[in-house]
Amino acid sequence: MTSPEQDFQPAASADPSSPPTDGAAPTAEQRLVELEARHTEVADAYLRAKAEAENTRRRAEEEISKARKYAIESFAESMLPVRDSLEAAIAMPDAKVEQVLEGVHATLRQLTAALERNKVIAIAPPSGTKFDPHQHQAISVVPADQDANTVVTVLQKGYLISDRVLRPALVTVAAPK
């Protein structure tokens, strides 16, 4: 009677990449050695791929962390000249009203430019503009000689950053007739 190991004869097409060396079918021991070598190669490739994926994930997390940490760097940098101008104004306590007013206008221009560079845009709808609840906040409804649900006056500008509302414009709205 033969043992199960002796009865096992792998098919000739089981591993076409390694043809038998002497024309005979490989023995079970040879086949086992080949499979163990292949297993070692596959296990090594798996571990390398797993390590690469982990390194990529770690690098991505670090980049996200840095992006969050330094996201306002550009904005803060553009605000520094505005602060410098305000400090210069404070350093001149004996300045004439005209000089102070000129400095305030220059500082406002700096601030406006800094906000625009950082995609912060004012919401200041002209009178008669249709009321938009996404960008406007109605403070009161007033009788007016214009269409209902249109802006009558802007009490305080609102601001957008890109397309997102930072603060809605505070407006009065025309009452229905």
Side-chain angles (χ1 to χ4, degrees):
M1 185 163 181
T2 62
S3 69
E5 288 92 18
Q6 293 171 341
D7 288 341
F8 174 73
Q9 292 292 327
S13 65
D15 188 5
S17 63
S18 58
T21 55
D22 60 357
T27 65
E29 283 183 17
Q30 290 172 334
R31 184 73 178 136
L32 178 61
V33 168
E34 289 173 9
L35 290 174
E36 285 176 344
R38 179 71 180 139
H39 171 71
T40 302
E41 289 175 20
V42 170
D44 183 56
Y46 167 76
L47 290 175
R48 288 178 189 273
K50 183 177 175 184
E52 179 63 27
E54 182 63 26
N55 288 339
T56 301
R57 184 194 60 75
R58 183 185 44 77
R59 280 192 300 270
E61 284 178 356
E62 287 173 2
E63 287 180 21
I64 289 170
S65 175
K66 285 180 183 177
R68 286 184 181 143
K69 187 175 181 180
Y70 300 111
I72 65 166
E73 181 178 5
S74 171
F75 182 74
E77 187 176 292
S78 67
M79 296 303 293
L80 293 177
V82 175
R83 180 182 172 107
D84 294 341
S85 294
L86 292 172
E87 288 174 344
I90 291 170
M92 298 177 60
D94 298 331
K96 295 181 182 173
V97 174
E98 296 82 22
Q99 291 174 317
V100 172
L101 187 58
E102 184 180 325
V104 168
H105 284 294
T107 304
L108 181 58
R109 285 191 299 273
Q110 284 180 322
L111 178 60
T112 301
L115 290 173
E116 287 175 355
R117 272 196 306 277
N118 288 282
K119 296 178 179 62
V120 177
I121 308 298
I123 302 172
S127 181
T129 303
K130 180 128 177 84
F131 176 75
D132 179 356
H134 300 290
Q135 293 189 358
H136 310 143
Q137 181 176 346
I139 297 301
S140 64
V141 177
V142 296
D145 292 331
Q146 59 189 53
D147 294 339
N149 293 326
T150 57
V151 173
V152 176
T153 57
V154 176
L155 302 172
Q156 183 181 56
K157 289 181 185 178
Y159 291 92
L160 296 169
I161 186 163
S162 296
D163 292 330
R164 187 175 181 180
V165 176
L166 289 175
R167 179 178 78 191
L170 303 181
V171 299
T172 58
V173 179
K177 296 180 183 181

